[in-house]
Amino acid sequence: MTDAVLIFTFSPVQSFIAEARRAADLYVGSRILSELAKAAAQAIGAVNLVYPASLNGSVPNVIVARVPAVEAKQIAERAEQALRKTWSEISQTAHNQFAAWKFTDSVFDAIWKRQANHLWEVFWAAAEEETSGYRDAYERARAALDAVKRSRLFAACDEPGIKDTLSGRREALHQHGQTHFAQVKGFWAQVGKRTTAAKLRPDGRERLDAIGATKRFCDLASQQFPSTSTIAALDFIEHAKQVAAEALHTYRDVVAPLGVYRVCDDDDWPYDGDLLFEETLTPERLKDSYGIHQPDKQALEKACQALKALHNAAGGAPSPYYAVLVLDGDSMGKRISACLGQDDPKGAHAKLSQSLDAFAQQVQSIVPKDCLIYNGGDDVLAFLPLSWALDTAHKLAQAFEQVA
């Protein structure tokens, strides 16, 4: 039976990620992309995969497989169905939250369905190996896939009305009769009252479409990624636990009466990192970030004093800056070309995939879990405190060179 090289991918990826306005958006968006890719890869079949080598951790959005040629179309279509089914299930968990809050109606549902059903474009190409072998089939499939992606065959989708605040391109979700800006803003102000400012800015200042609402309220978003202020303060928190635990606990106990919400289960410091900065302890910032109107003056003053004492005990305030660490493997196109030029191109390509999988496993031990956003193939994305960034980057570079 003749085999074929199948290359499967989907989009949009860049815009889906770029629409993030919070670290949590970026994290959940990356998880969604990985889950969609994993569903497609599982439908293709692990035994057929050339890249990625395994489905552990984050899964890249380009999948290469060797499949029976006569089944290539059927397998690709099955992968697309699995991807769309997984997206529908993820999106539905977010819709269920709005339904539970009784914010859905026929108009809301129509917008949601239109936007959720028209988001993903799937591309695939397959080329038979015949007598030419794996190398020629891979190159023909790659060229065909590039041509298909350039054709940009997609259905037009009208997006009327008030636009969402994340993409600025799609209609913000709303109910029947809410056509003016003030009405849509009022709808989202009511949604904001049912959740925390960690999920949605209060007073209708964020107005989401179905895509943004999925990122904020789907089940995958239940595992909250730290805010950028928390990331910036992680080294301070770890230091304070060691040298100023009593002062940290005192501040923890006096800041709670202000009405701030917990973001994690850390007994030493369960709150957001922005509360470790003096600038947050003002009526204006507490209203903007936490929806706290007119905080108790005595409680606020007590918190300010406790925070200053914590800074003194820890030897200084945390840095307000954080680092974005991006690793992208060098010359991967050349590495793949080198694999294709070997006597066993398929085996060499599979071996490279296994090396990248081994690197991804090492990344998990190098980058702190709370800092890692994406880790798949030769790509790593993480947010880190400044004091951790260079050392972490150096360790990642060394690990990549060793295995890849």
Side-chain angles (χ1 to χ4, degrees), residues 236 244 247 251 275-278 306-318:
F236 174 87
Y251 179 54
L275 291 166
L276 296 169
F277 297 90
E278 292 185 16
L307 179 58
K308 290 179 181 179
L310 171 60
H311 289 169
N312 290 333

Side-chain angles (χ1 to χ4, degrees), residues 51-66:
Y51 177 78
S54 77
L55 303 182
N56 299 321
S58 301
V59 179
N61 75 306
V62 177
I63 300 164
V64 181
R66 194 184 192 197

Side-chain angles (χ1 to χ4, degrees), residues 361-372:
Q361 298 302 314
Q362 290 192 40
V363 169
Q364 297 177 31
S365 64
I366 295 172
V367 181
K369 181 181 179 182
D370 288 343
C371 299
L372 188 59

Side-chain angles (χ1 to χ4, degrees), residues 82-275:
L83 182 150
R84 296 192 184 281
K85 180 176 182 291
T86 299
W87 165 248
S88 178
E89 291 170 350
I90 293 172
S91 181
Q92 187 62 44
T93 63
H95 183 278
N96 291 344
Q97 183 65 76
F98 285 86
W101 288 332
K102 302 190 184 305
F103 285 125
T104 60
D105 66 2
S106 59
V107 172
F108 182 101
D109 289 345
I111 298 171
W112 191 287
K113 182 177 180 180
R114 181 185 74 233
Q115 294 174 344
N117 289 354
H118 287 83
L119 178 62
W120 302 109
E121 296 177 72
V122 171
F123 307 95
W124 64 270
E128 292 187 13
E129 292 188 12
E130 299 175 336
T131 58
S132 58
Y134 180 85
R135 174 180 180 173
D136 180 66
Y138 177 87
E139 291 178 339
R140 285 187 289 117
R142 181 80 258 180
L145 182 69
D146 290 341
V148 171
K149 291 173 70 176
R150 284 195 296 270
S151 66
R152 304 297 295 166
L153 301 175
F154 57 90
C157 185
D158 187 31
E159 289 290 343
I162 306 302
K163 300 301 184 286
D164 72 287
T165 53
L166 299 191
S167 77
R169 298 182 293 109
R170 294 183 290 266
E171 184 177 15
L173 293 160
H174 60 83
Q175 293 179 320
H176 178 74
Q178 298 172 339
T179 57
H180 299 296
F181 177 80
Q183 294 170 321
V184 176
K185 183 178 180 181
F187 170 78
W188 283 100
Q190 292 302 311
V191 175
K193 293 178 180 180
R194 302 301 297 270
T195 184
T196 68
K199 287 286 188 182
L200 188 73
R201 290 174 68 84
D203 304 323
R205 282 174 290 163
E206 281 189 304
R207 301 167 294 282
L208 308 179
D209 67 341
I211 314 307
T214 295
K215 292 177 184 177
R216 293 286 175 87
F217 298 102
C218 72
D219 283 353
L220 291 176
S222 60
Q223 183 181 340
Q224 190 168 347
F225 190 82
S227 68
T228 53
S229 58
T230 297
I231 293 291
L234 279 178
D235 52 353
F236 174 87
I237 295 170
E238 292 302 312
H239 178 68
K241 288 179 181 180
Q242 296 175 10
V243 304
E246 183 177 352
L248 179 64
H249 296 162
T250 298
Y251 179 54
R252 173 201 63 193
D253 295 339
V254 300
V255 79
L258 291 175
V260 297
Y261 48 78
R262 299 168 65 99
V263 297
C264 67
D265 295 326
D266 185 344
D267 290 336
D268 294 306
W269 182 251
Y271 302 112
D272 195 273
D274 64 353
L275 291 166

Side-chain angles (χ1 to χ4, degrees), residues 333-349:
K334 291 182 179 179
R335 292 175 189 243
I336 294 175
S337 295
C339 292
L340 297 178
Q342 296 187 26
D343 293 339
D344 179 13
K346 190 265 181 182
H349 194 178

